[in-house]
Amino acid sequence: MKRTKKRFALLLSATLLLSLLTACSPNGSNGAAGTAPPSSAQPSAPAEAEGDAARIEGIRDGTYRFETPVTITTVTATDSSFKYKNGETLSDNVHTRWAKEQLGIDIQHLWEVPGEQFATKMRLMLTAKQELPDVVTTMDIGLMNELIQSGAYKDISADFDKYASDRMKEIFSSHPLIWSQVTFEGKHMGLPYFANAGNDNAVMWVRQDWLDELGMQAPATFEELEAFMQALLDKKPGNTDSIIPLGVSLGSGGGHPNPLAGWLGESTWIFGPFGTVPYQWNQGADGKLVHGSTVPEMKKGLEVMRDWYEKGYISKEAGLHDENKLAELIGQGRVGVVVAPYWLGSWPVPDLQKNVPGATMKPYPIPTENGKAGARDTTFLKGGMLVREGFEHTDALFLYLNRLFAGVDKEPGSEFEHGWAEDYDYTLKADGTVSTVSEDIPEGSVGVYKYFLYEPKDPFSVLQQSADKGKLLEQGNLTEAEAAALGNPDILKAAQIVVDGWAKESYWAPKFLGASTPAMQSKGGITTKLEGEAIMAIIYGRKPLEDFDKFVKEWYSIGGEQMTKEANEWFDSTK
């Protein structure tokens, strides 16, 4: 506090004493009792508000730094992909030092355990009423729900609105279901965690060399697809024996049958045009959730698959083919058409090209029926980050997140343009170029993102960037080196197909994204088994199509009714 140095020499002793007491008082004022004059040590309310606004803005744009370090505690589920260098640990590494030096944030790991032990240890902490970590990131939806329902973790809605950067808000508003896994009674009880969207979405891959030999165009409709598959059987292009016109992985799932929705060789696209996607919960016309395999629209898709099976378009051994076996058959050159992810061009198509000279597969949109196309949309929601109730520094947490999310786009000249840490996940070579090749990085590459409290990601960026590269490639005017640098042209084209499919609403997102409900846990096994057996029996012709109605009735009676009730209760809680 500023004090005047001027003293009066000639004052009565009582007056002098009073003056000294006043000078030492908190107000330090000659004014009336209880009144303080303006002072640089006590800013006015507008000045305080202005200072807080500047602090919030600094947090949002990631430039703020806490002068007195703020501690954020967490716990971590580890696996074999966690690697360290330079004698570092999870508690002391290039990332924790960056957070402390750049942001004034001290990240402390209370403990770390292998992933399979994580849920048990967290539940023990909760039961024993131990001090819980400030933040927890988990992909275990059941555990996440338990932590939320315990009341130990908080609604972050207001904190997100106040502190999240524009880029974060853009990402977290990019899909209508993006908050669904962490929303309870309208409250955002955590920050959703992402995988890459559309990773397994349906793209039709066709043997281009066989199309060319037969003088046919890529099929765009079910009718054209049937014509192509029949031509494969009749004309045997390439003098190929044992052609499988349509590769499907009806053996997917093993002991938990998933014959129509495997990650390679799926068949949901056969049902989508008729109004349903099996093996997921869809929203019906009445707004309620319904299991996609149990609605009347399934019949038409099953009729088509049985017809194709009888005509030989689908292998008689398809029920023994899981995704890996189907990939092997593709590599052997036996499959004419397969509906599979956009990345099929990286595996197993190269095996096909190696094993069968001149052979290749090219990507095309899934075919339509009556002008409609539809298939499942693989989910990108994988759990979330929870923030402890009573944690006082959500501002520090969002400062940390904002700074990391600024690196998602890797803009030229930005802090994370090349990677998260030099000589960890990238290096600058002697010639000035950047390399992410492990052999070029001193002591090898390390996944720095594994040390993060939360891995920042735009779930749609990988596919969108690949699609953008595909469009650039189509425009031409590139040198051979420039075109090669963009990547595999077939994968880029397939990415365009998925992005276009989103725009056309050809992919159906599952509407139930919560943890398994009690009925799903107790009855899910027998209902799934019944579902797989009924579907396979109808496709194989062992049971008539009319038996589908019997299957639906039995499915509801042995647990499906209660599962549907609980699925809708969860769905209603997210609104």
Side-chain angles (χ1 to χ4, degrees):
M1 178 181 294
K2 290 184 178 180
R3 299 177 181 176
T4 179
K5 295 182 180 179
K6 183 176 182 180
R7 294 181 182 272
F8 296 96
L10 301 173
L11 286 175
L12 295 172
S13 59
T15 305
L16 177 59
L17 177 60
L18 179 62
S19 298
L20 289 172
L21 289 172
T22 303
C24 294
S25 72
N27 288 339
S29 163
N30 291 328
T35 307
S39 166
S40 61
Q42 291 186 327
S44 63
E48 288 179 345
E50 183 178 338
D52 192 52
R55 182 184 67 87
I56 293 172
E57 185 60 30
I59 288 169
R60 286 176 177 168
D61 64 25
T63 59
Y64 190 78
R65 184 181 186 281
F66 290 91
E67 291 303 320
T68 301
V70 171
T71 298
I72 301 178
T73 62
T74 191
V75 291
T76 304
T78 60
D79 56 41
S80 59
S81 66
F82 278 72
K83 297 179 181 179
Y84 305 96
K85 62 195 306 182
N86 303 325
E88 295 177 342
T89 66
L90 189 57
S91 298
D92 181 14
N93 56 66
V94 65
H95 178 69
T96 58
R97 292 192 298 273
W98 168 85
K100 195 164 188 176
E101 294 166 3
Q102 293 290 318
L103 308 176
I105 295 174
D106 183 12
I107 298 174
Q108 294 185 6
H109 294 263
L110 301 181
W111 48 258
E112 56 184 278
V113 295
E116 63 272 14
Q117 301 174 23
F118 184 81
T120 299
K121 192 166 179 66
M122 279 300 306
R123 289 186 175 107
L124 287 173
M125 290 186 78
L126 197 61
T127 302
K129 299 187 184 305
Q130 296 177 5
E131 183 177 352
L132 295 168
D134 298 327
V135 297
V136 177
T137 300
T138 180
M139 291 184 282
D140 185 328
I141 309 301
L143 173 64
M144 184 176 74
N145 286 353
E146 289 177 42
L147 293 173
I148 291 171
Q149 290 165 8
S150 74
Y153 288 86
K154 64 183 290 187
D155 175 8
I156 65 165
S157 303
D159 293 314
F160 184 86
D161 290 342
K162 183 175 183 179
Y163 294 120
S165 66
D166 290 342
R167 184 65 178 113
M168 276 195 74
K169 288 178 178 177
E170 179 184 16
I171 291 172
F172 285 82
S173 62
S174 60
H175 192 279
L177 294 177
I178 210 158
W179 288 93
S180 59
Q181 281 190 337
V182 295
T183 299
F184 291 81
E185 299 177 352
K187 299 176 181 179
H188 294 164
M189 300 303 297
L191 199 66
Y193 195 64
F194 307 135
N196 289 323
N199 196 60
D200 294 341
N201 280 30
V203 175
M204 183 175 68
W205 291 81
V206 184
R207 277 289 295 270
Q208 187 64 46
D209 53 314
W210 287 352
L211 275 176
D212 295 342
E213 183 177 338
L214 295 171
M216 301 179 75
Q217 298 295 315
T221 65
F222 278 25
E223 182 179 3
E224 291 173 359
L225 176 60
E226 290 179 3
F228 176 61
M229 293 190 295
Q230 189 61 51
L232 294 179
L233 293 178
D234 293 341
K235 299 184 179 180
K236 294 181 172 55
N239 297 317
T240 306
D241 292 325
S242 303
I243 286 179
I244 301 172
L246 178 64
V248 291
S249 54
L250 297 184
S252 173
H256 300 278
N258 185 26
L260 306 180
W263 48 264
L264 190 154
E266 64 134 294
S267 308
T268 67
W269 57 277
I270 298 173
F271 298 83
F274 303 114
T276 190
V277 170
Y279 280 89
Q280 68 179 39
W281 293 87
N282 304 315
Q283 191 170 9
D286 61 356
K288 299 291 186 180
L289 295 192
V290 61
H291 193 55
S293 299
T294 65
V295 297
E297 290 83 355
M298 274 289 291
K299 287 184 180 180
K300 189 61 179 177
L302 287 171
E303 183 179 1
V304 169
M305 288 198 73
R306 185 174 65 175
D307 179 55
W308 289 356
Y309 178 81
E310 290 174 350
K311 290 178 177 178
Y313 302 160
I314 295 173
S315 170
K316 302 302 180 185
E317 299 179 347
L320 302 176
H321 297 163
D322 63 8
E323 295 91 340
N324 289 312
K325 180 60 179 179
L326 182 56
E328 181 182 328
L329 294 170
I330 292 170
Q332 292 171 357
R334 292 184 56 192
V335 177
V337 178
V338 64
V339 173
Y342 80 101
W343 44 259
L344 197 81
S346 62
W347 177 82
V349 170
D351 293 341
L352 165 67
Q353 296 167 333
K354 178 182 178 181
N355 296 331
V356 184
T360 193
M361 299 188 97
K362 295 290 184 181
Y364 295 94
I366 53 176
T368 63
E369 176 71 356
N370 297 322
K372 297 179 181 179
R376 63 170 181 165
D377 191 2
T378 50
T379 183
F380 59 91
L381 299 175
K382 299 293 183 183
M385 169 192 272
L386 308 184
V387 181
R388 182 176 56 80
E389 185 68 57
F391 178 53
E392 297 179 350
H393 283 291
T394 48
D395 53 353
L397 176 61
F398 276 97
L399 169 64
Y400 170 87
L401 293 170
N402 291 335
R403 186 73 164 259
L404 290 180
F405 269 94
V408 165
D409 301 316
K410 300 189 182 303
E411 295 182 356
S414 65
E415 180 180 15
F416 302 116
E417 174 185 2
H418 305 303
W420 296 116
E422 185 177 351
D423 290 337
Y424 283 79
D425 54 5
Y426 75 95
T427 193
L428 296 177
K429 299 173 69 174
D431 61 3
T433 60
V434 176
S435 175
T436 57
V437 177
S438 185
E439 289 75 12
D440 293 337
I441 299 173
E443 300 182 42
S445 177
V446 168
V448 178
Y449 68 92
K450 289 287 186 178
Y451 312 153
F452 293 3
L453 296 174
Y454 178 104
E455 182 187 358
K457 184 177 292 185
D458 178 346
F460 297 95
S461 65
V462 171
L463 265 173
Q464 186 61 61
Q465 289 169 9
S466 294
D468 291 342
K469 290 178 181 178
K471 291 178 182 178
L472 189 63
L473 196 61
E474 288 179 350
Q475 292 171 4
N477 301 319
L478 300 173
T479 66
E480 185 174 335
E482 288 171 338
L486 292 176
N488 184 317
D490 292 335
I491 294 177
L492 302 183
K493 179 62 179 177
Q496 284 182 263
I497 291 169
V498 174
V499 172
D500 289 345
W502 278 330
K504 296 175 182 177
E505 299 184 346
S506 298
Y507 298 115
W508 293 35
K511 298 299 185 182
F512 180 83
L513 297 167
S516 293
T517 68
M520 291 174 189
Q521 293 175 27
S522 62
K523 302 297 184 181
I526 57 173
T527 54
T528 299
K529 185 173 184 291
L530 173 67
E531 183 179 5
E533 290 175 348
I535 286 171
M536 293 296 289
I538 292 172
I539 292 173
Y540 278 7
R542 293 196 298 260
K543 289 187 177 180
L545 187 61
E546 291 71 24
D547 270 22
F548 175 80
D549 297 325
K550 295 179 181 178
F551 147 68
V552 174
K553 185 176 180 180
E554 185 176 358
W555 184 89
Y556 274 101
S557 69
I558 66 173
E561 183 174 358
Q562 184 62 24
M563 289 195 301
T564 301
K565 178 177 180 292
E566 292 173 358
N568 276 285
E569 288 173 349
W570 172 87
F571 189 58
D572 291 340
S573 76
T574 67
K575 297 176 182 177

